[in-house]
Amino acid sequence: MEITAPTVCGRGINGRMPLSRDQVSQGFLEELDRFAAFIGGLADEQFEQPTRCEGWTVRDVAAHVVGTNADIAAGRLEGLGTPEVTQREVDERKDMTPKQMADECAQVRAAAAGLLPAFDEAAWDGPAPGGYDGSLGEAVEALWSDVYVHADDIRAALGMPTETGPGLVGAVAHVELFLGRLGWAGDVPSDEAGAHEFVLAATGRADDSGSIPNIYA
């Protein structure tokens, strides 16, 4: 698969999303499907393995992903993404088995599938609720990227091979947007392996000797 999202320069100038509403909405829902199936197949001992997210186990990463999307589906947006709320999401799921967390992820996915069509084009292109710096569509794209990247965190922790596929396209689009806001105008690799490393570098998971800024720094 070749990564063909438009360049960061065009996106930064005209503010348009390179992926359509249907691509982002469907990509996000399918990523939740993949995440639920993935974590539901893990063993209890795998859930307790440390990850490259400092201080977090596989369980913590999965709980963060599921908890964030559960909070959004329930309209609990205040403080979303802060250390306090993130810790609460993790703590609420500290006793869940992999299957229980996968079941909750499936429920969240169903809620999101019912919610997304309710937004018209004006709402999709308008400001996201909850203080997110961007449009609603960009916020959904960010969630898609977050699920994909955290699934990759788990795979790396467990010695599993990287998966690319549609989730990588969403992650590249999200990274391009934020790099554009930072004024970065480098070239995005078009091959899967290069694009994967590009996303890891831009999210602070790989050292690129400073040539690609960390969008979360």
Side-chain angles (χ1 to χ4, degrees):
M1 181 184 68
E2 186 171 315
I3 306 300
T4 57
T7 65
V8 66
C9 296
R11 181 173 185 150
I13 291 171
N14 59 37
R16 292 179 300 179
M17 296 181 64
L19 303 179
S20 72
R21 175 179 176 175
D22 285 345
Q23 284 177 296
V24 173
S25 296
Q26 194 60 33
F28 170 54
L29 295 176
E30 290 175 355
E31 203 66 40
L32 286 175
D33 284 335
R34 284 190 288 271
F35 193 78
F38 175 45
I39 63 173
L42 297 180
D44 291 341
E45 57 270 22
Q46 290 176 305
F47 241 34
E48 308 309 324
Q49 294 301 307
T51 70
R52 63 191 174 197
C53 299
E54 186 175 356
W56 277 16
T57 63
V58 168
R59 172 190 297 280
D60 297 332
V61 173
H64 165 60
V65 171
V66 176
T68 295
N69 287 284
D71 280 345
I72 292 170
R76 296 188 296 265
L77 304 180
E78 186 174 353
L80 201 66
T82 63
E84 295 78 15
V85 170
T86 299
Q87 189 61 52
R88 189 256 301 157
E89 293 164 350
V90 170
D91 290 343
E92 287 174 346
R93 293 162 180 83
K94 62 183 178 63
D95 296 322
M96 281 189 176
T97 65
K99 183 180 184 307
Q100 287 171 331
M101 211 177 293
D103 288 345
E104 184 184 11
C105 188
Q107 293 168 5
V108 168
R109 190 269 189 209
L115 185 63
L116 286 173
F119 297 106
D120 60 19
E121 291 296 334
W124 184 259
D125 294 331
Y132 179 81
D133 183 18
S135 69
L136 173 62
E138 289 166 353
V140 176
E141 182 182 88
L143 291 171
W144 178 13
S145 173
D146 193 60
V147 178
Y148 168 77
V149 172
H150 280 314
D152 191 70
D153 291 333
I154 294 173
R155 289 190 176 91
L158 300 178
M160 296 178 174
T162 295
E163 288 195 4
T164 51
L168 181 57
V169 175
V172 167
H174 171 65
V175 166
E176 280 192 303
L177 171 63
F178 279 84
L179 287 177
R181 290 176 178 172
L182 293 173
W184 187 84
D187 294 325
V188 179
S190 61
D191 63 292
E192 286 186 326
H196 178 256
E197 289 302 313
F198 167 75
V199 168
L200 294 186
T203 58
R205 289 167 166 82
D207 183 13
D208 199 67
S209 302
S211 63
I212 300 175
N214 181 350
I215 63 173
Y216 298 135

